[in-house]
Amino acid sequence: MHLFRQSVLLFFYTWLFLLLVGGTALGFDQYEEARSRMVKAIEADVRETSFYINRKSLDPRVMSVMGSVERHKFVDPSQQSWAYANQPLSIGHGQTISQPYIVALMTDLISVDPGAKVLEIGTGSGYQAAVLAEMGAEVFTIEIIGPLASQASSRLAELGYKSVKTRQGDGYYGWEEEAPFDAIVVTAAAGHVPPPLIRQLKPGGVMVIPVGSRFLVQQLLLVTKDSAGSITTRQILPVRFVPLTGDH
């Protein structure tokens, strides 16, 4: 009887250990509820900004992806308790991972279809690239800061994002050898829309980019190129991004 109780206790503590420490082995996701709260916060922000963005809800596919991508794997371990707060977080080197609402909005604005070829300027930690990849896009992402580019490349590879190609470089000039792109997402504020990115946008394509000074109000712009190559821009809403840097 004594041996039986020991066996039961051993089984119980082994199960408890797997649950608390190796929860993924049992299919336990400790962040699932936090992601659900984040999605609800995004939905609330969409409703509050509907006057600006001209919509009361985002594409259900976008919201599904936002609820599944593991944002805590794209932040520093010291920030993981805040990973699903609807706010930007520092990722070092003076850079941030964007607010989830903004990531969702920018993804929605470019209307990503499976198989679309998307250029991202400003990889950061790789979170936006992961969201685009989960939407079915083939993603080409550029980061100017060496350590961030290296970390993001390793992280995305480890997480299995085979449809994301990364490189270090000045995103202002785009990725000419891979152009044209169906869509371009710029995650840093430029003083103007970079002409090289306009040239690399496919006719019928769209670009979303924050434009403005670091110390003044920036505007998130939706840039569209029609089949004839003509460009139109539309202001979406005021935003605040880190500046686009480089030799330009």
Side-chain angles (χ1 to χ4, degrees):
M1 192 68 175
H2 180 66
L3 289 175
F4 175 75
R5 287 199 300 271
Q6 283 186 326
S7 297
V8 170
L9 286 172
L10 178 61
F11 173 81
F12 173 76
Y13 285 119
T14 300
W15 177 85
L16 185 62
F17 175 79
L18 288 172
L19 180 64
L20 296 177
V21 180
T24 54
L26 299 175
F28 176 69
D29 182 355
Q30 63 177 313
Y31 292 101
E32 184 176 5
E33 185 177 345
R35 278 197 300 276
S36 179
R37 289 196 301 269
M38 182 188 77
V39 167
K40 286 180 171 58
I42 294 170
E43 292 171 342
D45 272 1
V46 170
R47 291 191 295 271
E48 289 175 9
T49 58
S50 60
F51 173 79
Y52 292 99
I53 66 178
N54 197 31
R55 62 197 73 196
K56 294 183 179 179
S57 63
L58 302 185
D59 184 340
R61 295 185 308 129
V62 173
M63 299 307 294
S64 176
V65 166
M66 294 302 297
S68 65
V69 175
E70 297 177 308
R71 191 173 188 247
H72 66 276
K73 294 183 178 179
F74 294 87
V75 302
D76 187 89
S78 65
Q79 299 264 35
Q80 285 188 344
S81 61
W82 295 95
Y84 296 102
N86 189 24
Q87 64 185 54
L89 296 171
S90 172
I91 56 173
H93 305 277
Q95 304 299 301
T96 60
I97 180 173
S98 294
Q99 178 187 4
Y101 162 64
I102 294 296
V103 173
L105 177 62
M106 293 175 79
T107 304
D108 183 87
L109 286 169
I110 64 170
S111 301
V112 179
D113 291 321
K117 196 172 184 180
V118 180
L119 174 65
E120 181 197 22
I121 307 303
T123 313
S125 67
Y127 180 63
Q128 174 75 80
V131 168
L132 293 169
E134 291 286 356
M135 293 291 294
E138 181 184 10
V139 184
F140 296 81
T141 182
I142 305 173
E143 172 58 53
I144 197 170
I145 299 173
L148 287 181
S150 178
Q151 290 166 13
S153 179
S154 297
R155 179 181 293 115
L156 289 162
E158 289 170 2
L159 294 175
Y161 287 104
K162 296 180 180 179
S163 63
V164 180
K165 296 177 176 63
T166 63
R167 87 174 193 188
Q168 182 187 355
D170 188 341
Y172 180 94
Y173 301 102
W175 199 323
E176 189 171 1
E177 59 269 34
E178 292 292 348
F181 299 97
D182 296 294
I184 299 176
V185 175
V186 183
T187 63
H192 57 273
V193 180
L197 299 185
I198 292 290
R199 291 194 295 270
Q200 293 174 31
L201 189 62
K202 183 183 294 186
V206 295
M207 180 190 331
V208 60
I209 176 173
V211 174
S213 167
R214 180 175 188 171
F215 302 105
L216 298 175
V217 174
Q218 303 161 358
Q219 288 289 334
L220 188 65
L221 300 184
L222 183 65
V223 181
T224 305
K225 179 187 279 190
D226 68 18
S227 58
S230 297
I231 299 297
T232 58
T233 62
R234 178 165 69 91
Q235 290 187 358
I236 304 299
L237 82 168
V239 290
R240 184 175 182 180
F241 279 79
V242 296
L244 184 69
T245 58
D247 298 327
H248 44 76

